[in-house]
Amino acid sequence: MDPRNNLPSLSEISPSLLSFLSDNFQNRGDLLKAPDLVSELQKQCSDLDHNLNDLNHKLEKSIVSFASHSEQLGSLFNVINLKLNHLQSLEFLSGSSTGGEEDSGRVKHILGEELPALAKEVARVETVRSYAETALKLDTLVGDIEDAVSSTMTRNLRKSPPGTSSEETRLLAIKSLKLTEDILITAAKSRPQWRRLVHAVDHRVDRALAVLRPQAIADHRSLLTSLGWPPTLSNSKSVNIGKSSAVLNPLFTMHGDLKNQYCENFLALCGLQELQSRRKSRQLEGHYHEIAMRHPLWAIEELVNPISLASEHHFKKWVEKPEFIFALVYKITRDFVDSMDELLQPLVDEARLVGYSCREEWISAMVTSLLMYLAKDVFPVYIGQLDADNVNGVPSQAKFSIMHLVDLMISFDKRVQTLVADSGVLNSIRDEESYRRISTMSIFCDRPDWLELWAEIELGDTLRKVRLDMGDERNWKNKVQGALLVSGSESYKSPAIAAATLRHLSAMIDRCRPLPSISLRARFIRLACAPLLREFLDCLLQKCQEAEGLTALAGDDGLIKVANSVNAARYCESVMKDWCDDLFFLEMTLDQGDEAIIGVDEDTSGLGGGIFNEEIGKFEEFRKDWTEKISTVVLRGFDARCREYMKNKKQWQEKEEGWNVSKLFVGALDYLQGKISKLEEGLNEIDFVVAWRSLATGVDHLVFNGVLMSKAKFYNGGVERFGGDLDVLFGVFRAWCLRPEGFFPKVSEGLKLLKMKEDQLKVGTEGIERWLKEKQIRHLGVPEAERIVKNRIFKS
């Protein structure tokens, strides 16, 4: 009989068997391998039988264990039923008895001791029952997980085609893992005393995951290789070419079984990561819980790693041309970002990985790969060149290379943030830690010494520019035009050098804005910006000291130079106070983790003056000191011209015809008016008001002590002369205030006493303190008033 007649028809053969026969018998030569194939199939069947026997043995043990627990629980319930029946009979007897003392005591004993004990026993039995059921359920689930892991390992050892049934087995294992985790979460919250059971299950699950995750990742990598990932980087088009000319994306070209296998494997990885996140959240509950909340997406990392390895081949040729490195990374990131939204994001959502955006994860992983290469192979080369140049004493080209590299990082981060924002949904980047993941500037978070080096280079470059501006005399003569940096800045009459310095300072601050950490930005400002302000303040001080040394500020030129420096200090102080109200600087002020930022002088501005508190204080101190010196110098000149006037005590006893004013005093006042007018011309409005008020106070004390407190006797004519002199004095200051008498309280009240009649003064000698109050004399003390009254002579 022909053996072919015993073969089944083609329609009766399953597709899997047809695929198997097609793979193994492609030509007549394969028929010679049939005995070996039969042996292999027999061996696989033997192994499967062995696994089935193991499973039957485990099932038998579980049934025996469950039966044992059931017998124990049954015996316990029998005991409880006996006790309840006994209790019921006792209650019946107590109800039918005549109320004897013996029966009453027995009932009290039962209700007071035996019944609570019985309730505790019932609760204990219930706990045991619940524990047994939970343990049995967990043992079954973990057994299923271990069987699935064992099954996938066996298939891998036999080199079976990946992704056929292994993915289904893995997904079943993940489902069992999630059910196990649900039970453990409930047990950990409601039954904390079961921690040993939880730890035992965790130990077994960890062993299963130690096998399951590497297998899933290995299968994922194999699938990516089958897809043709990573794409050939050399085929990438120009960065300026549109999206249609971008490199071919294997994720969009996959189809059929290969696409199904990839999606299933992607879901498995996401499911494992979601499970791992839940486990970490439970295990770290109350202890660094934020650690478990955010980890990079494993499946996206597997896409980026092979691209990173392939890119390094190109990067090594571009160490001296880092712009090519950034261009290539951005090109790859942009070309594949759409596939993350369209293909992979639905899979992540299906896996219920909350808070994950494939677009952001892809961008973050690409930025991280670039960051690692910069930290490993680019920055060390530039810093090595910088150290070598410093040793040789040659101007360093490496400094310009480092600054160029930082410029590229800042530009790259801006374009990357645009890619994140182009998703069309609300950006999930909110906190500082998340922002670090998409910023190449986060390289300075792990290497603060590189931040210090960058700040030093930035400071040196900016100081070079500022010193060039300082050496140009036109910047000291020209004034700031209009409200360049602050409102109303034209009133400060500041030299242009102040605005130029602040422009350089602002540019340096803008370069540190992309730093992803508030503490890093604050540190950069303290290292680079604060020394620039101190350098400018030292220059202002030097200008003032030169003017003081040459002319002792007696000449108008010296006063104008000092006034210019005071104006520049006032301008810088005002600008920095305005800056400190900006959110960028307020974040640094409110950052409680950085003690160096907290202001010391709370009177400077707002919240202690912010990060520039110390510099604002120094500018304010400089401005006050030199404004006071200006007033002192002018007052000293006025005093020198008034000495003859104050020494002439006889003039207060004489009466002259005509204009009853002292000519010497008028000459001194003419000098005073000229100097104040010069200050009004050169000094800013705010400090000018301080200066002339200080002069008024000084003149008031000078004239009061030199004239009224001297031993000069005042006759009627002298009182008229002194009144005329004060009218001229008040007239000088009337140009800057409506009521100048108020700024000369001592001489005004002294003249008021001199003008009183003799009977008024005699009355005033009795109870002089109350009398002074009645006459509204508040700025003179009793001894001063008595001395003035004593020197008043009422003779014609």
Side-chain angles (χ1 to χ4, degrees), residues 76-87:
L76 289 173
F77 278 117
N78 290 332
V79 173
I80 293 171
N81 286 330
L82 291 174
K83 291 185 176 181
L84 289 174
N85 292 332
H86 181 60
L87 178 62

Side-chain angles (χ1 to χ4, degrees), residues 487-676:
S487 58
S489 60
E490 66 276 2
S491 64
Y492 293 134
K493 300 179 181 179
S494 173
I497 185 61
T501 302
L502 290 177
R503 277 197 299 269
H504 291 302
L505 179 67
S506 178
M508 198 156 45
I509 292 173
D510 288 340
R511 286 177 62 76
C512 82
R513 287 179 184 271
L515 285 169
S517 167
I518 295 175
S519 60
L520 282 182
R521 295 194 287 268
R523 183 167 181 80
F524 180 90
I525 289 176
R526 287 198 300 272
L527 291 172
C529 301
L532 177 63
L533 290 171
R534 290 194 289 268
E535 174 85 6
F536 182 61
L537 184 60
D538 290 342
C539 180
L540 295 180
L541 180 61
Q542 182 180 359
K543 289 281 184 181
C544 291
Q545 290 174 343
E546 289 176 357
E548 185 181 28
L550 291 175
T551 64
L553 301 183
D556 291 343
D557 291 340
L559 285 180
I560 293 301
K561 288 182 179 179
V562 174
N564 270 341
S565 297
V566 171
N567 293 341
R570 165 68 72 176
Y571 183 72
C572 292
E573 177 188 339
S574 300
V575 170
M576 286 186 291
K577 285 182 178 180
D578 285 348
W579 284 357
C580 288
D581 292 333
D582 187 81
L583 180 61
F584 178 75
F585 297 100
L586 284 176
E587 287 179 338
M588 301 179 192
T589 307
L590 299 175
D591 185 9
Q592 300 297 327
D594 196 340
E595 297 180 358
I597 301 176
I598 303 303
V600 177
D601 183 8
E602 294 185 356
D603 295 332
T604 302
S605 73
L607 296 169
I611 193 171
F612 291 118
N613 175 59
E614 184 178 353
E615 286 69 32
I616 290 174
K618 288 182 178 179
F619 275 107
E620 184 177 6
E621 182 182 1
F622 167 83
R623 179 176 51 76
K624 289 180 178 179
D625 288 346
W626 284 96
T627 302
E628 184 178 351
K629 282 188 178 183
I630 290 175
S631 301
T632 301
V633 169
V634 174
L635 188 63
R636 191 184 300 128
F638 176 78
D639 184 27
R641 289 164 175 76
C642 284
R643 286 175 185 171
E644 294 297 328
Y645 168 75
M646 295 180 183
K647 287 180 181 179
N648 186 8
K649 297 181 176 57
K650 292 183 179 181
Q651 62 180 326
W652 312 121
Q653 303 174 14
E654 302 172 354
K655 181 177 181 181
E656 294 185 2
E657 298 295 334
W659 192 32
N660 199 17
V661 178
S662 302
K663 296 180 180 180
L664 292 176
F665 190 63
V666 171
L669 290 178
D670 181 64
Y671 162 83
L672 182 63
Q673 185 179 28
K675 289 297 182 182
I676 296 178

Side-chain angles (χ1 to χ4, degrees), residues 230-238 247 310 313-314 317-318 328 332:
T232 304
L233 302 181
S234 59
N235 291 337
S236 296
K237 305 297 181 182
S238 171
V247 65
H313 171 71
H314 301 281
K317 299 181 294 184
W318 298 336
L328 179 59
I332 297 171

Side-chain angles (χ1 to χ4, degrees), residues 389-452:
D389 291 344
N390 290 337
V391 172
N392 297 331
V394 180
S396 177
Q397 181 65 29
K399 290 183 179 179
F400 299 102
S401 299
I402 291 175
M403 292 183 65
H404 178 55
L405 179 60
V406 173
D407 289 337
L408 292 173
M409 294 166 64
I410 294 173
S411 176
F412 178 81
D413 287 351
K414 288 181 180 178
R415 293 194 293 170
V416 162
Q417 290 168 19
T418 302
L419 283 181
V420 175
D422 284 345
S423 61
V425 297
L426 188 63
N427 187 6
S428 66
I429 301 297
R430 287 294 178 266
D431 56 284
E432 184 177 294
E433 184 63 27
S434 298
Y435 181 67
R436 286 179 56 178
R437 298 171 58 243
I438 61 167
S439 172
T440 56
M441 299 291 283
S442 60
I443 194 173
F444 296 111
C445 296
D446 299 324
R447 293 301 301 264
D449 55 326
W450 291 354
L451 177 74
E452 294 177 5

Side-chain angles (χ1 to χ4, degrees), residues 457-476:
I457 294 173
E458 288 283 350
L459 175 62
D461 182 68
T462 306
L463 281 177
R464 179 181 58 81
K465 298 175 184 177
V466 170
R467 285 166 182 166
L468 289 176
D469 292 337
M470 290 178 180
D472 189 349
E473 286 298 323
R474 291 174 298 178
N475 290 329
W476 294 96

